[in-house]
Amino acid sequence: IRRARPADSRSLGDLAAMSDRRPLKGRVLVAVVESEIVAALPIDGGPAVADIRRPTADILQLLELRSDQMRRGGQTAQAA
């Protein structure tokens, strides 16, 4: 789990399209598995997007947990 980078915009757009959602904006956390972004969540709230071809329920829970930690602690950490 890490903060999204500008280079991630294409992957985030692909995930949003898969999830029938708009591309995520603002500060975003991503979950990376084997060098591929499989899920993403806006840190400041909003719906997540995920690869519908993979089981991501547990990953989404981890993204929620880390997002909550960052909002409560005001952290800007790159990794969890």
Side-chain angles (χ1 to χ4, degrees), residues 9-63:
S9 62
R10 182 179 177 144
S11 294
L12 291 173
D14 292 345
L15 284 180
M18 255 189 245
S19 301
D20 268 345
R21 301 215 186 266
R22 294 177 190 211
L24 301 178
K25 297 189 183 223
R27 300 182 312 152
V28 175
L29 284 177
V30 296
V32 181
V33 176
E34 296 178 358
S35 301
E36 185 177 343
I37 296 174
V38 297
L41 177 73
I43 294 170
D44 298 317
V49 295
D51 185 335
I52 60 172
R53 302 167 297 181
R54 296 177 178 250
T56 55
D58 291 340
I59 292 169
L60 291 170
Q61 287 180 340
L62 289 173
L63 285 171

